Amino acid sequence: MDAKSSNVLFSNSILIFLARFFPQLAVILVIIFFSRQLDAGVYGNYQGFWTQVYLLNTVACLGIPAFFMTYRPAYVSGILQHLKLFQVVLYICWVLGISGLFSYLQHTAEVLPWYLSFFFLLAYSFSSLCESLLIISKRYALLVPVNILYAIIFCLLHWLYLQNSITYFDLFEGLLFLSITRLIVYLPVIRQFLKAGAAEPIDNIGTIRALWMHLGFYDVSQMFFKWIDKFIISLMVSGGVFAIYYNGTIDIPFIPLLLGAIGGASLMQLAGSKHTGNKNALSVVLQSSRLLSCAIFPLFFFLVFFRQELFDVVFLSKYNAALPIFIVSIFSLPLNAYNLTTVLQNHHKGFIINTGAVLDLLIALGLMYPLYKAWGLPGVAFSFVLSSYVQAIFYLYHTSRILQTSMLALLPVGNWIVKLIIFSSLFIAFHYVLQAGFTAQNVLICGSALVVLTIAIALWIELTLLKRQYGEAVPERQPEEHR
């Protein structure tokens, strides 16, 4: 992979990340302020709404957004045009059914009227599908501004609710209107995308269908894996203890977005490249891993060494009992420096992907109770960390077989070792100096600034090294081949 291809990978990753960053930022801000100011019951209902949205949206989409990322835009257009009317109707009925289930769950809780929940999930699901099409067709000029505006209005609605200017019902009515408006903005562009250019002919529809089924299962199983420990713990312990576990295993913001952005860009790179050999695939994997590590490793060491200040400031020291659970759970974070399924997905190895997902879940559930008895709640978190590392080895083994290379050759080992030494030393020294003379809030602010600065410098150095390794990118854009 030459420097030009690497620059394309980097720029696509950034644009995909930005397209999804601002709505996620808005969600994080709302979580922080709502958890501080709202009554626990109201906040619980609010979080319950979004938990069900994320889970049921995954079920409604059936892996289609990830499936689209596997192919070139013209090929996706051909797949969509190949669909029969009854298949389209059947899928629409599926989404309607899932939206109906969500409506029933919310109505049973007597929080929101059924129709509001129903249409919200409906708009949210179709927006997810449209967004994936816009990403593969590289319509970032529309995606980024729309999502920035969405995030601003999202925050504004929640601020009005905290100011008692609108009711809880008004808040979600506004969110419904916002989601429908975003979908309406997307639809004309999707129609234009489907009509633009000649669609590629579809070959081996059976293989395509099999990959979609595997990806759908994988998406649902991953979301199930994400929440199953919290669900089981909620049945075993009191509400207070569960709150400690929940905050100790809270998702690190933006990491799924970053992994999805670079993974999606890598798939687009592999799908659109005229160089389809193992050497090119290995270059894409190594480069994406080097880019991911520029963000993952600094964030990991920040969370390790600044964890006390993080809990003191963000959670107002209410959940310091969760710190032992937190320090265990974040040791799965370094795995995100490698997108484990990119090559497998590109080679239509859906069965292997799903086997790894099931293996991950079975090991975690099998270790969960023994480690809980031996170590308490940190043991539960460790069971899921350990199973994730087993899954990573499983995926690396099968990827190495596909690319006909060793497992170590799939990893930029030397690059990672240098970064681990530099970043760990930097954050240890910085935290030691800061905690000697600053308050927890100032230590956290300075540490956060260090993370941002370190990531920016690491990315700049990485791209500079890439140019030295491969030479300058071709200055003029070469004519594109029919793809």
Side-chain angles (χ1 to χ4, degrees), residues 71-82 196-203 208 271-272 481-483:
Y71 299 105
R72 298 177 294 275
Y75 201 77
V76 172
S77 180
I79 292 173
L80 294 176
Q81 292 179 24
H82 185 272
E200 286 190 8
I202 305 304
D203 53 353
I208 294 172
E481 297 184 353
H482 174 68
R483 294 189 283 179

Side-chain angles (χ1 to χ4, degrees), residues 59 82 168 183 186 232 308 370 384 387 396 401 444:
V59 176
H82 185 272
Y168 191 76
L183 177 60
Y186 285 163
I232 294 175
Q308 184 67 60
F384 283 80
S387 69
L396 283 172
R401 293 189 62 184
L444 184 62

